[in-house]
Amino acid sequence: MSGNDDFNWGPATGVGSMPGGDAREAAKTVTGTFEDFPYLAELPARGPGADMIGRTIGLLVEMYAHVEPSGWRVSDRPGRDTRRARSWLGEDLDALEEFTQGYRGPLKVQAVGPWTLAAALELRGGEAALGDPGACRDLAASLAEGLRGHLAEVRRRIPGARVVLQLDEPSLTAVLRGRVRTASGYRTHRAVDRQVVESALRDVVAVNEGHGPVVVHSCAPDVPFALLRRAGAAGISFDFSLLTERDEEQIGEAVEGGTRLLVGAVESTDVPLSDPAGSVMGVRTLWRRLGLNPGTLAESVVVTPSCGLAGASPAYARAALAHCAKAARSLADNPE
């Protein structure tokens, strides 16, 4: 299933990361706030292996990595860092399972997409996998295989859930534009051909086919909306404050094509929060400018924070999630 035709999305959810290191506390907050679209929280403050890259490396099949001062580097066998990543993921799944007993509805899990992973993971010589087309292919295949197993486990633990897979691709635009720096920092890796990028994404997106939709998230500017839609993304998650007029036509086409927009409308680090309706005022304005029917707002938009909340205080993270839920309600009640 690539589309949204018979899929019931919730009105609001989170992006992924939360502050602190207590899996039960995070799961309780998330499930309590988003009763109709919870997600598996990530807690990077615990250290290497709980970070976005390390967590996804723990899912890879027949590929392993360890932490070097410069980042994650490929190794021959699973070591302490990989084991720790898997152990924390297990802890997070245990906590989510505990707080979703009897839950039926959409549930989101996040993993790093193939291109951000290729830009971050170092091969043995210290250069990013991104510079080696064969390594990029192997990485995408290993990721797809690992995600298949991970998604099956989530469905087994929470049988009433329709699992939404979110692929985090903050480096995607840099990969397409040849802006990812080499290890020396003096050069950049060559831009990867758009068709190669799209093809690898399509293969990874396909792992959830028949089970639920796939969302691609990037909180970087210039999200390639059209490319992501062609790769099979049923939803695109982005920071609303980074949109420019250049993006508007692609957004209009995405909405008309049935793509769900996960709109990052609430700041992800501590700021005073305005009234919830004010947070989504820009979304209403954009709808009017694009000539879209305001009545479609609630069915096209899921409200989220602008990015992960790992850098926020625990109190602000809780307030921001609750704010997203209220903002989504205001879009549904007063779309005009």
Side-chain angles (χ1 to χ4, degrees):
M1 174 176 70
S2 65
N4 297 321
D5 309 339
D6 64 342
F7 192 85
N8 210 352
W9 300 69
T13 191
V15 171
S17 66
M18 293 281 283
D22 185 332
R24 286 187 78 251
E25 186 58 39
K28 186 178 169 186
T29 298
V30 165
T31 53
T33 311
F34 301 121
E35 289 170 8
D36 31 24
F37 199 178
Y39 63 98
L40 178 64
E42 299 163 354
L43 303 170
R46 292 182 294 199
D51 61 301
M52 177 169 107
I53 300 293
R55 188 181 184 86
T56 301
I57 284 167
L59 294 172
L60 297 176
V61 170
E62 290 178 9
M63 275 185 101
Y64 314 103
H66 63 279
V67 179
E68 290 276 340
S70 53
W72 285 88
R73 186 171 295 182
V74 166
S75 33
D76 295 326
R77 60 185 71 82
R80 190 185 57 194
D81 297 328
T82 307
R83 283 196 295 274
R84 198 165 43 196
R86 290 176 178 169
S87 158
W88 275 326
L89 178 59
E91 210 175 283
D92 295 338
L93 283 168
D94 289 346
L96 186 66
E97 185 179 358
E98 180 186 340
F99 288 101
T100 48
Q101 293 294 312
Y103 175 72
R104 304 193 68 77
L107 167 79
K108 185 165 70 67
V109 299
Q110 306 81 222
V112 176
W115 293 107
T116 297
L117 201 55
L121 179 60
E122 298 172 1
L123 299 178
R124 286 178 183 79
E127 281 298 350
L130 186 63
D132 179 336
C136 288
R137 282 193 296 275
D138 292 348
L139 193 55
S142 172
L143 175 64
E145 200 49 46
L147 282 172
R148 258 188 214 100
H150 176 50
L151 292 165
E153 180 174 4
V154 175
R155 289 193 296 269
R156 183 181 60 71
R157 283 170 172 260
I158 308 162
R162 299 283 301 278
V163 181
V164 177
L165 169 62
Q166 174 180 304
L167 296 172
D168 291 319
E169 281 284 15
S171 303
L172 186 60
T173 302
V175 166
L176 289 164
R177 298 199 174 163
R179 290 188 186 152
V180 176
R181 296 207 165 275
T182 56
S184 69
Y186 296 125
R187 291 185 309 111
T188 53
H189 288 281
R190 205 179 301 153
V192 181
D193 180 86
R194 293 183 87 81
Q195 280 173 312
V196 172
V197 167
E198 191 182 315
S199 164
L201 275 169
R202 189 180 294 115
D203 290 347
V204 178
V205 164
V207 302
N208 210 24
E209 206 167 330
H211 297 291
V214 175
V215 169
V216 180
H217 164 73
S218 170
C219 46
D222 299 323
V223 174
F225 287 91
L227 183 150
L228 295 176
R229 291 176 58 220
R230 286 196 304 273
I236 300 173
S237 165
F238 57 95
D239 178 344
F240 187 75
S241 71
L242 297 178
L243 286 188
T244 65
E245 276 179 42
R246 265 207 319 272
D247 299 309
E248 291 190 2
E249 191 181 331
Q250 290 194 73
I251 290 214
E253 286 169 5
V255 171
E256 284 170 351
T259 303
R260 191 61 54 123
L261 302 180
L262 284 80
V263 175
V266 176
E267 270 291 337
S268 56
T269 47
D270 296 40
V271 294
L273 290 166
S274 68
D275 72 300
S279 298
V280 283
M281 186 66 78
V283 185
R284 290 191 182 89
T285 308
L286 174 63
W287 238 244
R288 275 200 297 276
R289 259 206 317 277
L290 292 173
L292 296 166
N293 170 7
T296 64
L297 258 173
E299 65 203 43
S300 301
V301 168
V302 176
V303 179
T304 73
S306 59
C307 208
L309 293 165
S313 67
Y316 178 81
R318 285 192 297 273
L321 295 183
H323 197 83
C324 289
K326 290 182 198 133
R329 258 199 304 280
S330 91
L331 268 190
D333 295 346
N334 312 302
E336 292 294 349

